[in-house]
Amino acid sequence: MVEKFDAIVIGAGPSGNAATYTLAKQGLKVLQLERGEYPGAKNVQGGIMYAHELERIIPDFRDDCPTERHIIEQRVWLLGDDSYLGTNYRSESFNSDKPNRYTIIRANIDKWWGEQIRKVGGLQICETTVTELIRDASGKVIGVRTDREGGEIHADVVILADGVNALLAKRAGLQTEAAPENVALAVKEILFIDPELIQQRFGVKEDEGVVIEIMGKVTKGMVGTAFLYTNKESLTIGIGCLISDFKNGDCPPYRMLEDLKNHPVIKPLIEGAEMKEYAAHMIPEGGYKAVPQLYGDGWMVVGDAAHFNNAAHREGSNLAMASGRMAAETVIELKAAGKGYSASNLAAYKKKLDDSFIMKDLKKYRDLPGIMHGNKQFFGAYPDEITAAAHSWFTVDSVDKKSKEKQIMKSFIKRRSVMGLVGDAIKLVRAVR
């Protein structure tokens, strides 16, 4: 006999975990399948978890969730060749009983998720690869086939949370291959370091953390960003650029990461650290216009597989958890109403998304990816000119400030032209308003 579940969730990342937990907590018979050796084995993330969405799913998560440091300061840096121009926001209110953001180690968090899922009755099976979706004569998804012996499993609905590659959806003809300009490749390292050095170098106390988001010369003119996060006993450092840029460029990701680590501004912060882990990960960067079909007869797609990533604000895990929760709530509501999981009924999932911050934010910034991807000046000429202007302005010499202003403006115009500068400014304002 082929075993049947109320729902099958494919993937044990933030979106899949949120969906599985929500379904199991409401008493549904749910199976979660993960190809990794254990939850988190195949998952890679820069290391930020947003508490608000997790708290909606597990209100008391702070009691035992293995977070690293709660974030009290956000820094944004624009790196030059040997300098940085930046801003930061730090608040003592982030030291509340319920902090808003945490740095995390994904392997630890996903193992914890697995424990929570088992506590509420969910079944999680690892080291299992789903090879294809099973469909009936009408085309409705009715289950999955795995690489295990006798690996055919049926369900009323299947939730796809298998990451940005979305291999199952592609094999089933539900999605097309993501364009290389809509996906970034990020590489990162976790560096072991004495916690006291973290506190000294970043100006924090024992459980406090700092996030540094980085742009500028380190991406070699490619569309991308870098980051540096503080954990309890380690630092997470990484950099990512569009796959299309890596394909056409001559600097591989690992070399770009080494250059970042050796930058005069970054090197003192990580000095003496020992590499613990190296990993690579693809990130959806296409925004609203790259979001695929999100539901159909017997299936829904969530998280990175749905291209839910707010690149403008570097937010991803909160969108993943929220989408997984909403997909699960849709299943729960339809089951309670005695309705099936046809495409017309599962459209309720899309309605939830449209009414949420996920689609509202993605829609707000819908033109930003195209502008950034199509105008490399934002990652080449402008970082050069802005850091050079800052250096000139803050160098005290015998040149009067009016002359410096003229020289700075002349340099910008020479690099981009008046019309180019005005055009870029107008496009950027329109894309973020």
Side-chain angles (χ1 to χ4, degrees), residues 183-185 235 269 317 325 335 351 353 363-364 372:
V183 180
L185 175 63
L235 299 171
L269 296 175
S317 63
R325 171 180 57 79
K335 184 176 178 63
K351 179 65 166 58
L353 290 168
K363 190 172 184 180
K364 170 181 168 61
M372 291 295 174

Side-chain angles (χ1 to χ4, degrees), residues 64-101:
D64 59 359
C65 185
T67 56
E68 292 292 304
R69 293 174 180 264
H70 65 271
I71 299 166
I72 67 163
E73 182 175 350
Q74 173 80 49
R75 303 178 189 175
V76 181
W77 287 358
L78 181 67
L79 294 190
D81 289 319
D82 59 1
S83 61
Y84 82 92
L85 180 67
T87 184
N88 70 300
Y89 178 75
R90 182 176 181 130
S91 175
E92 186 62 28
S93 65
F94 288 142
N95 274 319
S96 67
D97 293 337
K98 295 184 176 182
N100 179 253
R101 295 184 297 163

Side-chain angles (χ1 to χ4, degrees), residues 98-396:
K98 295 184 176 182
N100 179 253
R101 295 184 297 163
Y102 297 86
T103 55
I104 60 170
I105 303 296
R106 272 293 301 274
N108 298 337
I109 291 293
D110 290 337
K111 287 179 182 178
W112 173 84
W113 263 113
E115 294 170 0
Q116 308 313 305
I117 287 168
R118 288 189 289 274
K119 285 179 182 178
V120 294
L123 176 60
Q124 186 182 71
I125 300 179
C126 297
E127 296 186 278
T128 303
T129 299
V130 177
T131 56
E132 64 178 316
L133 300 176
I134 300 173
R135 305 166 97 163
D136 64 14
S138 68
K140 182 179 185 292
V141 173
I142 59 171
V144 301
R145 186 168 285 110
T146 74
D147 60 351
R148 290 176 176 260
E149 185 177 351
E152 183 172 317
I153 313 168
H154 288 184
D156 292 328
V157 64
V158 175
I159 298 175
L160 303 171
D162 54 339
V164 66
N165 278 324
L167 295 177
L168 288 170
K170 292 173 188 173
R171 290 172 189 160
L174 306 177
Q175 284 189 29
T176 58
E177 189 74 32
E181 62 270 20
N182 287 335
V183 180
L185 175 63
V187 292
K188 75 165 187 180
E189 289 181 0
I190 295 180
L191 308 173
F192 263 136
I193 190 169
D194 188 332
E196 289 189 5
L197 290 178
I198 294 176
Q199 291 161 208
Q200 293 170 11
R201 293 174 183 179
F202 293 88
V204 293
K205 299 175 185 176
E206 185 174 353
D207 293 322
E208 297 173 344
V210 172
V211 168
I212 307 176
E213 302 287 356
I214 303 165
M215 295 179 63
K217 295 297 290 291
V218 289
T219 62
K220 319 292 185 185
M222 301 184 195
V223 178
T225 58
F227 55 86
L228 179 59
Y229 304 150
T230 57
N231 306 315
K232 285 182 178 178
E233 299 179 347
S234 64
L235 299 171
T236 301
I237 186 169
I239 191 166
C241 295
L242 295 181
I243 289 178
S244 56
D245 282 355
F246 277 129
K247 181 180 178 181
N248 298 325
D250 59 359
C251 185
Y254 69 87
R255 187 187 304 162
M256 192 173 288
L257 179 56
E258 284 301 311
D259 289 345
L260 172 65
K261 290 163 58 181
N262 287 304
H263 190 279
V265 173
I266 303 298
K267 191 173 182 178
L269 296 175
I270 65 174
E271 188 175 2
E274 179 183 354
M275 186 179 75
K276 173 185 177 183
E277 174 186 329
Y278 176 90
H281 178 54
M282 291 199 300
I283 304 170
E285 295 283 349
Y288 183 80
K289 295 180 180 179
V291 174
Q293 178 66 25
L294 297 171
Y295 64 93
D297 286 332
W299 62 273
M300 288 178 285
V301 61
V302 297
D304 278 3
H307 283 247
F308 290 152
N309 180 54
N310 185 342
H313 290 267
R314 315 308 304 158
E315 295 177 15
S317 63
N318 54 334
L319 279 71
M321 289 186 287
S323 63
R325 171 180 57 79
M326 291 177 201
E329 289 171 350
T330 301
V331 173
I332 292 165
E333 290 164 7
L334 290 175
K335 184 176 178 63
K339 297 181 179 179
Y341 302 104
S342 63
S344 58
N345 287 339
L346 290 177
Y349 168 54
K350 178 62 163 53
K351 179 65 166 58
K352 289 179 183 289
L353 290 168
D354 288 340
D355 291 340
S356 76
F357 75 97
I358 295 178
M359 296 305 282
K360 288 179 179 179
D361 283 351
L362 291 181
K363 190 172 184 180
K364 170 181 168 61
Y365 297 111
R366 62 187 178 276
D367 293 327
L368 190 59
I371 291 172
M372 291 295 174
H373 302 174
N375 187 346
K376 300 300 177 63
Q377 306 292 342
F378 290 110
F379 298 88
Y382 288 134
D384 285 348
E385 294 301 321
I386 291 171
T387 53
H391 184 80
S392 173
W393 191 255
F394 292 111
T395 297
V396 179

